[in-house]
Amino acid sequence: MGEINIPRDQQVAIAAIDASELDRLIEQAIREERSGDLHRLSLANCGSYIASKLHSLDQALARHREAKAPRKRAETGDALRRAGHDLSFAVRAMNKRMETEQKEAQLFIVDDHVMLPYRFSKHLSVRVSYRWRRTVDDEWTFGSITFVHDVDLLPDFTRPALKRKPSAAKQEQDLQNTLYQTWEHLMTGALYSVRDYFRDGGDGEKIPDTFQATVDSYSRGLNNYSTLFWRKQP
């Protein structure tokens, strides 16, 4: 699944599933204690969310088949029915999300394919591209916004001191891991920020070219509000 957009191949797979047929096959799988015809719906091609629920149902079926004692059978039976419900819910939820995305795509599209840097420095940046228009009859306007963030690399004195100083290579590896996690946080926040701005009716002309991410006053790092470029700064 894309970060904020359902990939085209997954949209096709989700759209091909008939909800009534899915429920019928789930009930059949529970009754016969085997997934059988359920796998012919290509649920595994619908993205990780739906695929994980299918996997959970398969596991619940296996545990129910293995159970022998009446009390255990009752427990695994309840778990199996919950797993079936979860799979049905996941497909309906993704269908609803797909319909929302397709409706929104008439007025705006945020590109969630962001290039991962080869190496990270303390100066992080994420460029988010988008296109938008006020009505479906207007021409598309293309734009982008670059979110920047300078990572605070001062030591965290709240952590206990290490007994033995790591090697230079280990320190560099740990630094790159930390910077990657911070960049990923920045990237995710940036994408959702632009998406939510348009979703709430924001004007694309008012999106700045660059935005310095705000930091948490306590942790000195990023938080859930760091990429809200339209939010009034303190």
Side-chain angles (χ1 to χ4, degrees), residues 58-89:
D58 282 333
Q59 289 183 315
L61 282 165
R63 285 191 290 268
H64 190 55
R65 286 195 301 269
E66 294 169 0
K68 303 301 180 185
R71 180 176 178 181
K72 187 64 177 178
R73 290 276 297 176
E75 292 176 358
T76 57
D78 288 342
L80 178 56
R81 283 184 287 274
R82 286 196 300 271
H85 174 270
D86 289 346
L87 175 58
S88 178
F89 176 84

Side-chain angles (χ1 to χ4, degrees), residues 145 147-148 193 208 210-216 223 225-234:
I145 174 175
F147 295 81
V148 294
S193 177
T210 61
F211 179 73
Q212 179 76 46
T214 59
V215 296
D216 188 275
N223 59 29
Y225 304 99
S226 294
T227 54
L228 302 186
F229 56 89
W230 65 90
R231 188 170 177 237
K232 187 174 181 181
Q233 302 302 310

Side-chain angles (χ1 to χ4, degrees), residues 77-105:
D78 288 342
L80 178 56
R81 283 184 287 274
R82 286 196 300 271
H85 174 270
D86 289 346
L87 175 58
S88 178
F89 176 84
V91 171
R92 283 171 167 78
M94 291 303 294
N95 235 313
K96 185 174 181 180
R97 175 182 163 181
M98 183 176 67
E99 291 172 358
T100 298
E101 287 185 13
Q102 291 173 344
K103 182 179 179 180
E104 292 174 344

Side-chain angles (χ1 to χ4, degrees), residues 134-225:
R134 289 189 171 86
T135 72
V136 294
D137 297 321
D138 293 335
E139 294 294 325
W140 287 106
T141 298
F142 294 80
S144 67
I145 174 175
T146 299
F147 295 81
V148 294
H149 172 57
D150 294 322
V151 182
D152 187 342
L153 296 178
L154 291 175
D156 185 353
F157 296 106
T158 62
R159 295 183 178 181
L162 297 175
K163 295 181 179 179
R164 184 177 179 182
K165 186 177 180 180
S167 66
K170 182 64 166 61
Q171 290 183 61
E172 176 61 19
Q173 181 183 4
D174 290 344
L175 174 61
Q176 286 297 305
N177 289 338
T178 297
L179 293 174
Y180 167 70
Q181 291 172 3
T182 305
W183 179 88
E184 192 174 43
H185 188 173
L186 179 67
M187 181 269 294
T188 302
L191 288 170
Y192 278 99
S193 177
V194 178
R195 193 279 307 273
D196 291 347
Y197 176 77
F198 280 120
R199 179 172 282 180
D200 292 340
D203 186 345
E205 290 185 354
K206 295 181 180 180
I207 298 179
D209 293 331
T210 61
F211 179 73
Q212 179 76 46
T214 59
V215 296
D216 188 275
S217 59
Y218 176 74
S219 68
R220 311 190 305 267
L222 300 174
N223 59 29
N224 292 337
Y225 304 99

